[in-house]
């Protein structure tokens, strides 16, 4: 996946001055562009994107929200699915 800023942003979570923002749409979405599934990581102190993680091949459904469970980033999807990510260097 090339570097991009996703167009379909969902519910994110802030942890240690960093915003973790899931994005994307389901494969059957009527949206024509910007539906690539990703996790956008934004440094709130520097006000810049730290990293965009391509999760197109991991998430089967549309990412809707994020939360932390311990040090794991949890992404919930609609209509079903809960995914656990262990992020390094964050």
């Amino acid at each position: 996946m090339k570097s991009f800023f996703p167009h379909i942003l969902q519910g994110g979570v802030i942890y240690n001055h960093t915003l973790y923002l899931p994005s994307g749409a389901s494969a059957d979405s009527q949206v024509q562009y910007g539906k690539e599934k990703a996790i956008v990581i934004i440094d709130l102190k520097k006000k810049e994107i730290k990293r965009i993680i391509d999760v197109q091949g991991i998430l089967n459904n549309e990412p809707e929200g994020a939360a932390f469970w311990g040090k794991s980033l949890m992404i919930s999807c609609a209509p079903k699915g809960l995914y656990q990510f262990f992020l390094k260097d964050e």
Side-chain angles (χ1 to χ4, degrees), residues 1-43:
M1 178 185 301
K2 63 183 178 187
S3 181
F4 70 99
F5 189 84
H7 295 69
I8 302 172
L9 304 173
Q10 304 289 356
V13 62
I14 296 172
Y15 183 78
N16 289 339
H17 307 286
T18 303
L19 173 61
Y20 297 84
L21 191 58
S23 67
S26 61
D28 61 353
S29 171
Q30 300 300 314
V31 174
Q32 298 299 315
Y33 61 92
K35 60 183 176 181
E36 297 90 353
K37 295 180 202 99
I39 300 170
V40 181
I41 301 174
I42 301 171
D43 185 317

Side-chain angles (χ1 to χ4, degrees), residues 1 23 25 36-39 52-63 73-77 80-87:
M1 178 185 301
S23 67
E36 297 90 353
K37 295 180 202 99
I39 300 170
I52 297 175
I53 301 171
D54 176 0
V55 292
Q56 188 69 25
I58 298 170
L59 303 181
N60 294 325
N61 295 305
E62 182 174 340
L73 176 64
M74 307 299 290
I75 302 291
S76 62
C77 294
K80 63 180 179 177
L82 183 62
Y83 297 83
Q84 183 175 17
F85 292 88
F86 300 95
L87 303 176

